[in-house]
Amino acid sequence: QGGFNWYISRNAARMAEAAGQTRALPRITVPTRIRWGDSAVLPSAWGDTLGETFANLDFAPLPGVGHFPHREDPDHAAAEIGGFFEGR
């Protein structure tokens, strides 16, 4: 229920956002890696606008997994996470 409560509590703000009635927020400058399962319910192509939110973004589809890559392909997910932090 907790996950649904978040959506319920954010509904008015989400609707205002969708209608373009909110102020633009500054882009997040922290280096960010997003790996989106290419078999997820939400298509990875929807990640095409993430650069509007993240200034230093490393985005790529993660092949062969869905919504839970850390469960579906833990070795690949761990390698992606490790690769992001390597040298930092």
Side-chain angles (χ1 to χ4, degrees), residues 3-78:
F4 290 111
N5 287 346
W6 181 86
Y7 285 102
I8 292 167
S9 71
R10 292 269 308 136
N11 191 54
R14 289 173 56 232
M15 293 297 106
E17 218 171 276
Q21 300 169 341
T22 58
R23 64 180 176 84
L25 298 173
R27 289 170 73 203
I28 297 168
T29 59
V30 175
T32 304
R33 174 174 283 188
I34 296 177
R35 294 297 181 261
W36 196 318
D38 69 356
S39 300
V41 173
L42 303 175
S44 59
W46 288 8
D48 65 341
T49 60
L50 288 171
E52 296 171 12
T53 302
F54 300 97
N56 190 353
L57 174 65
D58 173 7
F59 172 80
L62 196 58
V65 298
H67 192 69
F68 301 102
H70 60 290
R71 300 282 301 196
E72 298 169 39
D73 190 354
D75 292 337
H76 193 174

